[in-house]
Amino acid sequence: MPLAKAGLDRVSGGALVGQAIRRREDLPLVQGQGRFVADIPLQDALHIAFLRSPAAGGAILGCETAAAAAMPGVAAVLTAADLTPLGRLTVNPVLPLGAAPDFPVLAAGRVLAVGQPVAAVLADSADRAADAVAAIDLSLKDASRLPAPGEAVFALDWQAGDAGAACDAAAHVVAVEVRHSRLAPCPLEGRAIAVDYHAATGDVTVWLSSQTPHRARSELAGILGVDAGRIRVVAPDVGGAFGMKASLYPEEVLAVWAAFALCRPVRWTATRGEDLLAASHGRGMTTRGRLAVAADGRFLALQARIDAPLGHWLTTSAAVPLWNAGRILPGPYLVPALDVAVRGHADGTAAVGIYRGAGRPEAAMLMERLVDRAAQALGMDPLDLRRANLIPPAAMPWQGPTGIVLDSGDYPRLLELAAARADLDALRAQQRRRRAGGELIGLGCAMFVEPCGQGWESARVRRNADGSVDCFLGGSSQGHGRETACAQILADLFGISADAVTVRHGDTADCPEGIGALASRSTAIGGSAVLAAGREVLARLPAAGPSATVDAAQVYPAEGEAWGSGCYIAQVAVDPATGRVQVERMVLADDAGIVVNPMLVAGQLAGGMAQGLGEALLERLVYDTDGQLLTGSLMDYALPRAADMPVLEIGSLAGRSPANLLGAKGVGEAGTIGAPAAIANAVLDALRPLGVQDLPLPIGAEAVWRAIQAAQAAEPEELR
């Protein structure tokens, strides 16, 4: 994807922090020296294949495994009856938890969703395991259609002021409903686990494609009822995750249980189809909002209702998207009265968890659609309406109506930066000319705020006698350049070359306990932990002497939550004959706080933008009324391609955050937050002359074409 306009093709001199140093992770990967879970050698390992439920519900009458167990190479066939009593997965308590569904490793008594593991075959090859699965005879009674969602598992309300009264008194009240499609995270490397059993000690080493190795270790110990000291978890090179690998899965628990029970190494690698069917999905929320506006354009009140599917079991962070979507509102705007309710319901589908953005895109889409609709009702320029209602920088830190504290930010300046970089006046003049020629051209703006993680992270730093430095992170990496950024921080601190810094992460045996790579927290909180540990080493050096080896460990608790922000402007063209939408131009203005490496930031923005474009225009997981997944392969689930991407024009502010030692804010999820709303607003702007007011997500060619046809059919004959 071209990045030339971002100005990132040059590496200037000076301090390393702030410079576009090339990623140290890349050369081994492009030379074929990466080490992913499937590359881990195991001696005489058993391979797992799973029999999965063909129905969305029903009682298990029988599961005949004798024929499978007798097949060549098969070491064991397991059902729920063979497992020892197991514990439950921990669920993050950011929202009050009602009656939570169970965490079944293998279905017991009933199947709860299509794709749920019912039995597991362990054999001496993956092919033999798969062949044996085909020999299992599963009988179900009353195999049901997709059940209706149950009672709310998560629920929370936020109120400030009297939103109802404000709506009654407002000059205008506009309403929007957005049904977000379910999305598949689709990392290049799917779920994978390799468990090495050590006969001499009875311990295991678990190689896991994970964002959270320390969490995985503690959860495995708790679920299996074994001492955590018997489990070492290593996350080697991780080929992407996007939230999908932040939780522990039933298949992974089964693999570790089997290694302990059979005293054998065990491995499992998901197929793409298995991940589409049974890995956690993202999004899926339905958001409804009403925005009350005064005659002069001041926002008066926001009412919002947010409902989310959760699937048949809860991931560790199942509540986080709902929590974020609710608490972020009303985003970067001043809205004195607010009434927001969120509800999450279990249903008979795959688990729904965090996916890059985790509630932030849903909040931004609702608010930015409402702002554009309000501008239309008022006859105002959409950017002028935003200007009139943004929180001023002098008000920072700002406590929002849901109780959040925005630590810093200059939202008006971000808007002006994006408008200037886009040359908005010229862009609008071009739009008028092209519209006069019969083209459907639209411009869309979206502003957003992005919370960047809470809590703590850890690091251990060692300055060796030869002057080199070793860093051991409590956090981890999912391929986002963590080693490079940490090396830059420590090289600057110690006045050495980045090549003299070694960074290790992802191994519970030699890295301090940490939370992991999620919630855009790796630089803001993890980088601050590295900086704190490095500073402690420097403080100890004078007493130890220059030739001594000195190390220090730090658990760094962030003083607050850092909030990134952005303003994105999209230009789209719609083909009236086919409905195809082409994003012609995308201008991004972000405030990521202190930037360690702008090349890494540009990469994060480009990747997030691609996923945001996919959400806006292409991607959708679809179940039928029987709970069957109709989009179970990449033949049916549309991912963006290189040809779908515009050149990104990137501008940035560097507003230091007071919430952490480094002064950084997150940016890893920014593209997924701002891009969908900006693109949706641009498409609706393109079709507004035809009278089109709304479109479903994703805004695919068929939906656009149908909207155009309906608008033309409704047009009076004399105007056609």
Side-chain angles (χ1 to χ4, degrees), residues 192-214:
I193 186 170
V195 189
D196 198 1
Y197 179 79
H198 309 298
T201 61
D203 300 340
V204 295
T205 297
V206 179
W207 302 83
L208 183 63
S209 188
S210 172
Q211 297 169 242
T212 56
H214 286 279

Side-chain angles (χ1 to χ4, degrees), residues 517-564:
L518 64 165
S520 293
R521 66 197 313 281
S522 293
T523 299
I525 304 179
S528 291
V530 169
L531 183 57
R535 285 181 176 177
E536 186 174 342
V537 170
L538 278 179
R540 294 180 183 178
L541 271 177
S547 61
T549 296
V550 179
D551 66 23
Q554 282 280 341
V555 175
Y556 176 77
E559 297 176 13
E561 191 168 21
W563 287 77

Side-chain angles (χ1 to χ4, degrees), residues 694-707:
D694 204 3
L695 287 165
L697 289 176
I699 306 172
E702 180 183 352
V704 174
W705 183 85
R706 289 185 182 278

Side-chain angles (χ1 to χ4, degrees), residues 411-482:
Y411 309 144
R413 189 176 168 206
L414 273 174
L415 189 151
E416 301 309 330
L417 175 62
R421 196 169 188 88
D423 195 357
L424 200 57
D425 289 341
L427 208 57
R428 284 173 169 163
Q430 180 195 99
Q431 180 188 35
R432 289 191 292 270
R433 289 194 300 272
R434 294 176 69 179
R435 279 182 169 178
E439 293 185 73
L440 297 177
I441 304 299
L443 301 176
C445 177
M447 299 198 69
F448 63 90
V449 293
E450 175 187 2
C452 307
Q454 298 178 356
W456 59 277
E457 200 50 90
S458 63
R460 181 162 60 90
V461 172
R462 181 174 62 216
R463 192 266 196 184
N464 300 306
D466 63 0
S468 63
V469 172
D470 298 323
C471 177
F472 301 85
L473 296 178
S476 58
S477 178
Q478 49 184 295
H480 57 313
R482 193 54 38 223

